[in-house]
Structures are given as C-alpha cells and as structure tokens.
C-alpha cells in the first residue's frame, strides 16, 4: 500500500485512523460550512502529503496562471502549512500566511510555527492586510 508513502509509518495507527477520517466526502474532510466553493471557478487540490505542492498539479496551475504569490491557509500550522510554505519558497513563490487562517491542535506549536515561519519563510500577515493585497490587484 503506497498511501502517503513512509509518512503513514511515522506514527503507526494514528495516520491509519486519520486516513479513514479525512477522506473526500467525510465530515473531517469537508470544507468549513462558511466557505463557498464555486465549482466552476475554484480548483480543489487533493493532497496525500503535508505539502500541497508535493506530487499534486498545483505547481502546474500556478505556472499556467502566472502566479508569483501563494496564500496558505489550513488546519495544521506546524505540519501542512509549514511544509507548503517551505515547498513554495523553494519554487520561487512569495508565500503569505494569514495568521488567523491557520490552526493547530495546540496553541504552543501553532504560535511557535507562526513565529518560526515568519522569521525564515513567508510573510505572516493579519487577514486585513491579505484582503487589502487582493483588493489592490483589481
């Protein structure tokens, strides 16, 4: 079984259980009910590893659309968000993390990761700053 490669062996049992919980169509795999996904315009990337850029077609989409900046949000600041930020930076993108749009299981790894990432990789910004950035594009 190749599911998630060696990552699934990192914590035996835990990721096996999570893999059952976080499947497309499951409650844990669902988008927040406050989020509107436009199926005609939005593209959903299904990732199997922490980084959204690892073995997905996200890089191709970013190149196709001429993107130079990636805004990262998500539910694991110290894991998935950090991995995506590092991968994106290595690929030459400006990475932005809106601080109120990421979370973690506990506050201490969340804030430590935000601090560490901001010192090394992305711009960790307030949501209002990110929204102003988007408004400046139009």
């Amino acid at each position: 079984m190749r599911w998630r490669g060696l990552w699934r062996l990192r914590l035996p049992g835990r990721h096996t259980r999570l893999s059952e919980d976080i499947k497309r169509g499951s409650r844990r795999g669902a988008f927040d009910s406050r989020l509107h996904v436009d199926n005609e315009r939005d593209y959903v990337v299904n990732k199997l590893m922490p980084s959204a850029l690892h073995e997905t077609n996200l890089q191709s989409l970013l190149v196709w659309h001429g993107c130079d900046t990636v805004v990262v949000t998500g539910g694991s600041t110290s894991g998935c968000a950090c991995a995506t930020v590092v991968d994106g930076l290595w690929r030459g993108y400006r990475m932005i993390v809106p601080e109120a749009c990421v979370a973690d299981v506990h506050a201490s790894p969340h804030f430590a990761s935000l601090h560490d990432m901001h010192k090394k990789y992305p711009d960790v910004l307030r949501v209002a700053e990110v929204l102003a950035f988007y408004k400046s594009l139009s």
Side-chain angles (χ1 to χ4, degrees):
M1 177 179 190
R2 188 180 178 283
W3 181 85
R4 296 185 188 209
L6 295 176
W7 189 42
R8 69 181 169 87
L9 302 176
R10 178 71 178 106
L11 295 172
R14 177 173 176 238
H15 290 295
T16 303
R17 179 180 52 78
L18 287 175
S19 71
E20 295 304 313
D21 291 347
I22 310 176
K23 284 185 177 174
R24 181 187 278 185
S26 72
R27 182 187 65 77
R28 290 207 49 212
F31 288 111
D32 186 296
S33 61
R34 297 167 291 183
L35 181 66
H36 172 72
V37 177
D38 180 344
N39 292 320
E40 296 295 318
R41 189 171 164 234
D42 298 329
Y43 187 82
V44 177
V45 175
N46 293 298
K47 62 188 188 74
L48 297 177
M49 296 295 275
S51 171
L53 289 158
H54 180 78
E55 294 186 7
T56 69
N57 64 342
L58 181 56
Q59 171 79 21
S60 295
L61 288 168
L62 295 172
V63 170
W64 172 260
H65 290 287
C67 297
D68 62 359
T69 303
V70 178
V71 178
V72 177
T73 65
S76 178
T77 312
S78 62
C80 299
C82 186
T84 300
V85 159
V86 172
D87 273 2
L89 184 74
W90 290 348
R91 287 171 165 88
Y93 295 101
R94 175 186 180 198
M95 303 301 288
I96 297 175
V97 176
E99 62 184 339
C101 297
V102 289
D104 218 313
V105 176
H106 298 288
S108 57
H110 168 71
F111 289 112
S113 294
L114 282 177
H115 175 78
D116 188 54
M117 282 193 293
H118 185 61
K119 293 292 180 192
K120 299 175 185 172
Y121 310 116
D123 295 316
V124 177
L125 304 173
R126 294 177 328 195
V127 172
E129 292 175 274
V130 177
L131 292 175
F133 168 74
Y134 274 112
K135 287 179 184 172
S136 75
L137 298 175
S138 45

